[in-house]
Amino acid sequence: MILDDLVTATKKRLVVEKQQLPLIELKKQAESLPVMNPNQLYQRFLSPMLSIIAEVKKASPSKGLIAEDFDYLAIAKEYEAAGATAISVLTEPDYFLGNIDYLKTIAEEVPTPLLRKDFTIDPYMIYQAKVAGARMILLIVAILSDEELSAYLQLAHSLGLAVLVEAHDEEEINRALKVGAQMIGVNNRNLKDFTVSFENSKKLRHLIPEDVAFVAESGVSTVADIQELKKLGVNAVLVGEALMKAPDKKGFIKKALE
């Protein structure tokens, strides 16, 4: 399974990263930074207007190389100018060709809140996200125990980071709600075989309370897809490959927000 491979690769990567910068040092750096209230970000996603999380992504396991000419900073600036609510930055290097330095560079020049998109399996990665300038992190229910979900959510909040908790089915949504998730992303992509269906968002939307932001993730190809998801009552749509391939990224987002 691709998800298992991603977790295995992340574990190997963390061994090296912890040798380069020990947790105690990273923690000191993270805790010396200002703490913002994550509730402000959650409230932005709960506003009546649809939110767009625009993704900076070079490659994916299902599509291979998406962007040969990958000027990630210019792309992020275009997303900001178009009015994206947040920008998702892939930092997973082995399968998505991401890099945490992309996040750091964008954070220095773009004020839009950044989501660190990675396979968070260790507190170390949450401190890393904070130091790199992220305002949000991703927690995937399928790869974490209830204890880990709860602990990582609390740690992120203590550092001022909002959390997008990703679920794929009813059981995972219930687990996310049980630990106090305030923003839940339903992935329309099956991470076991990478097939895509909006039926997942349609089927699961009613399970998420009004005061919890609902984010539809994956599978958006056109502005019409976003309009379809909007009719389902989603609060936000995360758009990756379609935006990366769009010749006019700014125009795509502006049309989606109309």
Side-chain angles (χ1 to χ4, degrees):
M1 274 198 308
I2 294 170
L3 198 52
D4 292 337
D5 294 341
L6 282 158
V7 170
T8 301
T10 304
K11 284 178 180 172
K12 285 182 185 169
R13 172 169 41 120
L14 280 170
V15 171
V16 177
E17 290 175 350
K18 287 177 179 179
Q19 287 170 346
Q20 292 169 341
L21 180 63
L23 174 61
I24 192 164
E25 292 300 323
L26 181 65
K27 197 173 172 184
K28 267 187 210 167
Q29 289 180 24
E31 290 174 347
S32 71
L33 296 169
V35 175
M36 299 180 84
N37 185 348
N39 288 327
Q40 292 173 349
L41 206 43
Y42 291 136
Q43 288 306 311
R44 279 175 70 178
F45 280 97
L46 285 169
S47 75
M49 293 286 294
L50 180 75
S51 291
I52 299 289
I53 303 175
E55 192 153 82
V56 176
K57 175 160 72 172
K58 186 174 186 177
S60 77
S62 59
K63 300 289 183 179
L65 189 64
I66 294 167
E68 276 187 55
D69 179 20
F70 188 61
D71 189 342
Y72 55 90
L73 182 56
I75 292 165
K77 285 181 175 178
E78 205 169 344
Y79 291 163
E80 178 208 353
T85 306
I87 298 170
S88 167
V89 183
L90 258 298
T91 61
E92 196 286 322
D94 296 296
Y95 289 81
F96 290 87
L97 304 184
N99 194 309
I100 198 154
D101 287 338
Y102 300 159
L103 181 66
K104 288 177 186 171
T105 304
I106 294 168
E108 285 166 5
E109 297 203 36
V110 178
T112 304
L114 303 182
L115 163 68
R116 183 193 183 177
K117 186 88 173 286
D118 211 318
F119 297 80
T120 307
I121 54 167
D122 190 291
Y124 188 90
M125 298 177 75
I126 302 172
Y127 290 114
Q128 266 185 330
K130 175 70 176 179
V131 170
R135 289 278 310 283
M136 304 163 66
I137 62 160
L138 176 72
L139 293 180
I140 300 173
V141 175
I143 61 175
L144 299 170
S145 67
D146 288 350
E147 292 73 23
E148 287 169 330
L149 266 177
S150 180
Y152 296 175
L153 187 72
Q154 287 175 44
L155 172 59
H157 284 168
S158 75
L159 293 169
L161 300 173
V163 182
L164 174 59
V165 181
E166 184 177 298
H168 297 85
D169 55 33
E170 185 170 349
E171 184 202 354
E172 289 185 1
I173 284 178
N174 288 334
R175 289 180 59 205
L177 291 171
K178 193 171 83 174
V179 298
Q182 290 174 256
M183 178 162 35
I184 294 178
V186 167
N187 200 330
N188 297 306
R189 188 184 303 282
N190 183 322
L191 287 183
K192 293 174 182 172
D193 60 16
F194 270 56
T195 55
V196 172
S197 170
F198 285 164
E199 286 304 312
N200 219 27
S201 284
K202 288 178 187 172
K203 188 174 67 179
L204 301 173
R205 176 65 188 103
H206 73 282
L207 298 170
I208 296 174
E210 295 264 314
D211 60 348
V212 174
F214 181 100
V215 183
E217 301 178 36
S218 296
V220 169
S221 299
T222 62
V223 171
D225 287 341
I226 294 173
Q227 299 302 338
E228 184 185 340
L229 289 164
K230 191 177 179 180
K231 284 175 193 166
L232 296 177
V234 306
N235 299 106
V237 180
L238 189 149
V239 192
E241 186 190 339
L243 262 177
M244 288 300 303
K245 290 188 168 177
D248 178 9
K249 295 173 176 53
K250 195 172 173 181
F252 187 106
I253 293 172
K254 285 193 173 293
K255 276 185 194 165
L257 291 172
E258 284 174 359

